[in-house]
Amino acid sequence: LEQHRYMRAIKQSLDAGGHCLLEMPTGTGKTVCLLSLITSYQFANPSAGKLVYCTRTVPEMNSVMEELATVLAYRAEQWKHDNHENVDMEDSTTQQQNQGEDTTESPSARKKARRVYSGKNKNAEPPMGPIARDGGAGGSGVLALCLSSRRNMCVNERVMQESDREAVDAACRSMTASWVIEAAKKNPGSMETCAYYDNFQASGEATTMPSGIYDLEELKKWGKSR
């Protein structure tokens, strides 16, 4: 009941286009309620905009991404099940019509049985990374990714050898600053640059990410592959 009220309040705020301040006790499912409701709302209302979810720590951020991956995978599974049910129902109706049988059903007969998630795969890893195009992320082609500090997201091996945030920032700037790039172009080999950054600059706006759910590790894995 508390989760239902929480989700109703979010829905009312989205419909009104206003602000909402909600709280629930620890462990009552705030995250999964919010992600389930808002991603469903976005699917039903494509113009609803983006969801920005802020966390205090990296583990919290990755945990939210795992929750989101689980929610969307479950939704895709249920939609796939519904599609199969609809196809089976149409085939059965066509067969009955061909045999001259009465295909009229009562409302109670047409009502589908309620399905409750069994949780049989609760120990399985959530599906992170790119999502196949057959249905996309819950059928909506969602792209969800983490944004954090340079120290947490950098994939350059030399930069990541630095010990603290300030040193990482300084090392990155020394390889990606505009004057460094210009000097390296004029005199190749004279300045150390970042190959990942150079490739990104060369690709420009042509660089796109496939639909999927990317925590920091998956995001860095994808970045290295580019």
Side-chain angles (χ1 to χ4, degrees):
L1 179 60
E2 191 169 16
Q3 291 179 339
H4 182 256
R5 290 175 176 171
Y6 184 83
M7 296 173 78
R8 282 192 61 185
I10 297 174
K11 171 67 163 53
Q12 291 169 351
S13 297
L14 291 172
D15 287 339
H19 301 284
C20 183
L21 178 61
L22 300 171
E23 64 175 356
M24 283 174 64
T26 301
T28 51
K30 294 186 295 295
T31 301
V32 70
C33 284
L34 185 146
L35 295 176
S36 299
L37 188 284
I38 293 184
T39 54
S40 297
Y41 192 91
Q42 289 174 320
F43 180 75
N45 302 274
S47 61
K50 297 180 177 64
L51 166 63
V52 179
Y53 193 110
C54 300
T55 65
R56 188 175 61 86
T57 66
V58 170
E60 289 175 351
M61 179 166 55
N62 285 332
S63 177
V64 171
M65 300 303 285
E66 291 178 2
E67 291 261 27
L68 179 59
T70 301
V71 166
L72 296 182
Y74 170 71
R75 181 183 300 159
E77 176 189 339
Q78 297 307 304
W79 281 349
K80 184 177 181 180
H81 190 284
D82 286 343
N83 290 336
H84 286 169
E85 279 188 347
N86 292 334
V87 171
D88 292 342
M89 186 177 298
E90 290 174 0
D91 291 343
S92 176
T93 301
T94 302
Q95 183 178 1
Q96 290 175 1
Q97 289 174 342
N98 292 336
Q99 295 175 354
E101 299 178 9
D102 183 11
T103 58
T104 303
E105 295 181 352
S106 64
S108 59
R110 290 196 301 268
K111 186 177 180 180
K112 295 180 181 179
R114 181 184 178 189
R115 294 193 306 279
V116 178
Y117 186 50
S118 63
K120 60 183 179 180
N121 295 322
K122 62 183 179 180
N123 294 324
E125 291 293 327
M128 307 296 288
I131 294 179
R133 292 187 178 276
D134 54 342
S140 59
V142 169
L143 173 61
L145 50 84
C146 294
L147 295 177
S148 185
S149 65
R150 185 180 284 110
R151 183 182 182 186
N152 294 326
M153 300 185 67
C154 182
V155 293
N156 186 290
E157 293 79 6
R158 208 278 286 172
V159 173
M160 292 311 298
Q161 292 177 1
E162 302 296 339
S163 58
D164 56 56
R165 185 180 62 186
E166 288 75 14
V168 168
D169 290 345
C172 181
R173 285 193 295 269
S174 71
M175 300 168 70
T176 60
S178 58
W179 65 270
V180 174
I181 303 298
E182 289 298 322
K185 288 180 179 179
K186 293 179 181 178
N187 188 8
S190 62
M191 304 290 290
E192 181 184 12
T193 61
C194 175
Y196 299 109
Y197 184 78
D198 293 341
N199 290 338
F200 175 75
Q201 290 291 93
S203 299
E205 294 183 358
T207 301
T208 59
M209 292 186 67
S211 296
I213 313 297
Y214 300 84
D215 60 7
L216 285 180
E217 288 306 313
E218 286 295 332
L219 190 59
K220 289 193 287 188
K221 186 188 301 182
W222 183 84
K224 287 181 178 181
S225 70
R226 306 296 293 182

